[in-house]
């Protein structure tokens, strides 16, 4: 359906194309990164109006953010298309089409392909700027989180040291009193409660010191696969009681890491016990360990309820817990964070699919 154009028609088409490019540029310049889907939809509408046979034009705009499709004009199409590149890597494309067989590629104008290329370039620039902004925001949050945890670590270390001496005195004098009143059952029972609660408090202080990286450690180069299997075996009864299974996947049976065995076991216990607590019956906790050239990556995922978005930034804070009162001290993940930090490693969490949480730990291979 090739059409001959008069000078007036050609001028009209150029005006439509220039108007489209101007509108697209304006949309991008004034865009709000929080409403980028609306911006991309408006760009698709601009393209639809800019083509020669605009009443029959169909546009597909695909990006990592969203996919936009204008109202369909037929069942099959012949398309012009151009890639959307973000940092020189194709991350999407725009296709503009006419219904076929009514139209063929010959019905598109050379200038329309040029316009499409220019619009894709502008969209790519928009996505690049959004990615840079998102990365900056992510880095800012990480810095704030690290700074908050550093301050909490310093405060926690001071609190732990201050509590250690009086707790030791309470425990020591309570045990001495118990020997003196051993013929008084009621007094002995009360002292047993004091001793039990003092020991519990001392364990809380130990966890606080773990968080603050104040506990002594003994690091050796160890194969961590047996350590992980032992931890899983020790939790076998708890897993069975909660009707939860635990699978281990390793890319090699010999994964060496310079670590403290007790601390690594505590990291595993805290993360697996947490996963068990939040996992529904008949679900599976997956542990995947990957030995890489310069690091060891440990991933623990569950199928539980997941971490609420408004709580995500607080999970490593001391005494923070989503468990009911009396069912958790809120120190498990802060202890894990402290141990991993002392190993120069990192820990992050993300939603599991379709539900649950994934914790990813990276240990650098330090000599």
């Amino acid at each position: 359906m090739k059409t001959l154009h008069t000078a007036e028609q050609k001028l009209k088409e150029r005006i439509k194309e220039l108007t489209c490019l101007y509108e697209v540029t304006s949309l991008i310049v004034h865009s709000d990164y929080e409403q980028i889907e609306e911006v991309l939809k408006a760009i698709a509408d601009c393209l639809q109006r800019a083509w020669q046979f605009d009443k029959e034009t169909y546009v597909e705009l695909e990006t990592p953010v969203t996919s936009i499709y204008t109202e369909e004009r037929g069942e099959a199409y012949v398309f012009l298309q151009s890639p959307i590149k973000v940092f020189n890597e194709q991350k999407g494309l725009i296709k503009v089409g006419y219904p076929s067989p009514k139209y063929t590629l010959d019905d598109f104008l050379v200038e329309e392909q040029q316009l499409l290329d220019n619009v894709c370039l502008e969209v790519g620039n928009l996505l690049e700027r959004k990615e840079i902004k998102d990365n900056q925001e992510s880095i800012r949050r990480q810095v704030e989180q690290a700074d908050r945890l550093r301050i909490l670590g310093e405060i926690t270390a001071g609190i732990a040291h201050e509590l250690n001496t009086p707790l030791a005195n309470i425990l020591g004098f309570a045990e001495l009193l118990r020997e003196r009143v051993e013929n008084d059952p009621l007094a002995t029972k009360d002292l047993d409660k004091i001793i039990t609660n003092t020991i519990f408090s001392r364990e809380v202080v130990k966890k606080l010191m773990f968080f603050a990286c104040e506990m002594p450690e003994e690091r050796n180069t160890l194969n961590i696969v047996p350590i992980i299997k032992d931890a899983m075996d020790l939790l076998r009864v708890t897993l069975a009681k909660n009707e939860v299974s635990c699978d281990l996947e390793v890319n090699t049976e010999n994964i060496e890491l310079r670590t403290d065995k007790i601390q690594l076991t505590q990291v595993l216990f805290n993360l697996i016990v947490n996963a068990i607590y939040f996992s529904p019956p008949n679900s599976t906790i997956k542990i995947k360990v990957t030995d890489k050239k310069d690091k060891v990556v440990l991933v623990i995922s569950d199928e539980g309820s997941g971490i609420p978005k408004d709580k995500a930034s607080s999970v490593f804070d001391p005494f923070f817990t989503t468990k009911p009162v009396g069912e958790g001290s809120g120190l498990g993940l802060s202890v894990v964070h402290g141990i991993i930090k002392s190993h120069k490693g990192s820990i992050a969490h993300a939603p599991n699919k379709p539900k649950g949480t994934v914790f990813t730990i990276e240990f650098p291979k330090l000599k």
Side-chain angles (χ1 to χ4, degrees), residues 136-164:
Q136 288 174 339
E137 184 66 21
S138 176
I139 291 168
R140 184 187 64 78
R141 287 196 300 267
Q142 289 174 22
V143 169
E144 288 177 355
Q145 173 79 347
D147 189 56
R148 187 167 74 250
L149 289 174
R150 177 187 61 78
I151 294 169
L152 283 170
E154 292 175 0
I155 295 171
T156 300
I159 294 171
H161 284 303
E162 290 293 327
L163 288 174
N164 253 340

Side-chain angles (χ1 to χ4, degrees), residues 231-257:
M232 291 169 61
D233 191 54
L234 289 168
L235 290 167
R236 185 177 66 253
V237 174
T238 307
L239 286 161
K241 181 182 175 182
N242 288 272
E243 299 178 40
V244 176
S245 59
C246 188
D247 294 342
L248 174 64
E249 178 186 339
V250 295
N251 67 336
T252 173
E253 285 295 325
N254 185 35
I255 301 178
E256 292 192 343
L257 188 67

Side-chain angles (χ1 to χ4, degrees), residues 224 227-229 231-232 235 261-274 287 289 298 300 336 361:
I224 66 170
I227 298 173
I228 297 170
K229 289 180 178 178
M232 291 169 61
L235 290 167
K261 183 178 179 179
I262 295 173
Q263 289 188 353
L264 179 61
T265 301
Q266 186 154 12
V267 167
L268 293 164
F269 261 62
N270 277 324
L271 290 174
I272 298 172
V273 167
N274 248 16
I287 303 174
V289 192
L298 173 65
I300 298 177
V336 167
I361 304 167

Side-chain angles (χ1 to χ4, degrees), residues 6 18 26 32 86 136 178 205 268 296 316 334 359 367:
T6 64
L18 289 171
S26 297
D32 181 345
V86 180
Q136 288 174 339
R178 192 179 185 285
V205 170
L268 293 164
V296 173
F316 299 118
S334 62
F359 280 93
K367 295 183 179 180

